[in-house]
Amino acid sequence: MLRWEYALLVRRREASGASDWRLSYTWYSPDGSRQDVSALGDTAISHLNRAGARGWELVSTEEDVNNLEGTTEVHRYYLKRPLPERDPRA
């Protein structure tokens, strides 16, 4: 039976002053750990291509925009990849 593991890439865009924006990317691993991966790329596409090269497949996206104040955007990219098959003798 095929088994999967899941991860999450979060892109955050936050107001930083009157007209500046701060962009950050956080990677949530299958083990629950998280890592700021902002320095590894400045676009969602670069981060998704990096994940794809490691076997991750994009399965869903979600966007959350704070429209009342216009100060925050959060984009979530849900990914999965197959786990290695277990040896049935183990």
Side-chain angles (χ1 to χ4, degrees), residues 1-3 83-87:
M1 177 171 88
L2 190 56
R3 298 177 316 131
L83 285 169
E85 290 197 29
R86 286 192 250 176
D87 184 347

Side-chain angles (χ1 to χ4, degrees), residues 4 8-10 15-16 23 26 33 35 41 44 52 66-67 70 72 74-76 80 83 89:
W4 301 95
L8 173 64
L9 174 66
V10 176
S16 173
L23 193 60
T26 305
S33 64
Q35 177 183 8
N66 178 346
N67 289 320
T72 306
V74 178
H75 298 254
R76 295 174 190 89
K80 72 176 185 179
L83 285 169
R89 298 170 290 176

Side-chain angles (χ1 to χ4, degrees), residues 3-49:
R3 298 177 316 131
W4 301 95
E5 65 179 342
Y6 298 89
L8 173 64
L9 174 66
V10 176
R11 173 192 179 269
R12 235 179 225 96
R13 183 175 170 226
E14 299 175 285
S16 173
S19 62
D20 292 328
W21 292 89
R22 180 177 173 273
L23 193 60
S24 65
Y25 292 89
T26 305
W27 178 261
Y28 293 83
S29 296
D31 65 4
S33 64
R34 68 180 167 185
Q35 177 183 8
D36 181 352
V37 293
S38 303
L40 301 177
D42 60 355
T43 66
I45 293 296
S46 66
H47 287 281
L48 292 170
N49 281 330

